Amino acid sequence: DGGITQSPKYLFRKEGQNVTLSCEQNLNHDAMYWYRQDPGQGLRLIYYSQIVNDFQKGDIAEGYSVSREKKESFPLTVTSAQKNPTAFYLCASNRDFYNEQFFGPGTRLTVL
Amino acid sequence: KNEVEQSPQNLTAQEGEFITINCSYSVGISALHWLQQHPGGGIVSLFMLSSGKKKHGRLIATINIQEKHSSLHITASHPRDSAVYICAVNPDSNYQLIWGAGTKLIIKP
């Protein structure tokens, strides 16, 4: 079955620690995205990538980093510089920017 | 003012009722998306439309480009339709989606 997987589903982190969220897709999509969702708010774009080895900052990139070494994978690192990292993180992909996005199940990150 | 506004924010209805969720936007767009977010957090794309009307099962989405407005209708609503419904647009100016805040729908049996 084609789709997007994210792991882990729940993640707990101590303040000051970096943590990496995994996102893998087998849809052969070129474009991939990371979003952050806070309660009662719309999705906000963190980073996106159109193609392997290329990525661009979204609206709230500060405190986050990404890599795109393989077409299938787009991991997100939440660094200690992110002041309020507790949120729900969603990864998505599409064939190109003008097509519908397919979403992973999300990772809920809690900073203790 | 947000560029994509949804109404209502919350909607509670009885099973079987006809449901309408509205989305208004203030920018020129190439397409509009309706998505559904289940209580567990997963998001599913329902429709992508740039004109007219689309139907899938009990769901109907319409868009009026001149009025910058779209509606999502659910006929014969069912408790399993309970979810957050999200509107998002592809603006003409760039390719990043602009997201609405979502409408939380609860259908009571």
Side-chain angles (χ1 to χ4, degrees):
Chain A
D1 282 314
I4 302 178
T5 56
Q6 289 185 245
S7 60
K9 188 170 183 177
Y10 298 96
L11 187 57
F12 298 90
R13 185 195 100 173
K14 292 182 180 178
E15 278 194 41
Q17 286 182 338
N18 291 357
V19 63
T20 298
L21 282 58
S22 167
C23 176
E24 305 276 333
Q25 54 98 359
N26 61 4
L27 300 165
N28 200 34
H29 285 166
D30 284 316
M32 297 187 74
Y33 311 81
W34 273 106
Y35 292 98
R36 171 180 171 139
Q37 187 178 38
D38 293 285
Q41 294 189 32
L43 275 66
R44 292 185 290 169
L45 183 65
I46 306 172
Y47 268 98
Y48 62 98
S49 168
Q50 288 179 267
I51 199 166
V52 174
N53 292 323
D54 182 66
F55 48 84
Q56 306 295 330
K57 293 182 180 180
D59 299 321
I60 56 166
E62 186 175 348
Y64 300 97
S65 66
V66 293
S67 63
R68 186 87 187 275
E69 296 176 4
K70 298 187 297 181
K71 187 175 186 177
E72 308 79 42
S73 178
F74 192 40
L76 173 74
T77 297
V78 185
T79 74
S80 56
Q82 170 49 235
K83 297 304 176 192
N84 185 21
T86 295
F88 187 55
Y89 291 87
L90 285 154
C91 178
S93 72
N94 58 6
R95 197 169 59 211
D96 58 51
F97 285 129
Y98 300 101
N99 281 275
E100 63 178 322
Q101 292 186 14
F102 292 80
F103 284 82
T107 293
R108 197 167 297 278
L109 173 65
T110 302
V111 174
L112 303 172
Chain B
K1 187 178 187 300
N2 293 334
E3 292 170 302
V4 178
E5 297 271 2
Q6 289 187 234
S7 63
Q9 279 187 303
N10 296 282
L11 179 57
T12 300
Q14 291 297 131
E15 183 174 356
E17 286 189 36
F18 182 81
I19 302 299
T20 296
I21 298 170
N22 297 298
C23 176
S24 296
Y25 52 92
S26 57
V27 297
I29 68 168
S30 56
L32 181 142
H33 304 257
W34 281 103
L35 305 100
Q36 180 191 54
Q37 185 169 28
H38 295 284
I43 293 179
V44 175
S45 178
L46 298 174
F47 295 103
M48 176 179 168
L49 64 166
S50 54
S51 65
K53 177 178 173 178
K54 286 190 176 181
K55 184 175 189 289
H56 185 257
R58 295 180 295 106
L59 300 176
I60 304 165
T62 64
I63 188 169
N64 185 318
I65 295 294
Q66 286 72 31
E67 294 186 4
K68 291 187 165 60
H69 181 268
S70 175
S71 292
L72 177 69
H73 305 286
I74 305 175
T75 62
S77 60
H78 190 275
R80 65 174 175 266
D81 297 326
S82 298
V84 174
Y85 291 85
I86 304 170
C87 172
V89 301
N90 285 100
D92 286 331
S93 57
N94 69 63
Y95 35 72
Q96 290 185 33
L97 287 174
I98 303 175
W99 297 83
T103 294
K104 185 174 182 179
L105 174 65
I106 297 173
I107 304 296
K108 294 186 175 180

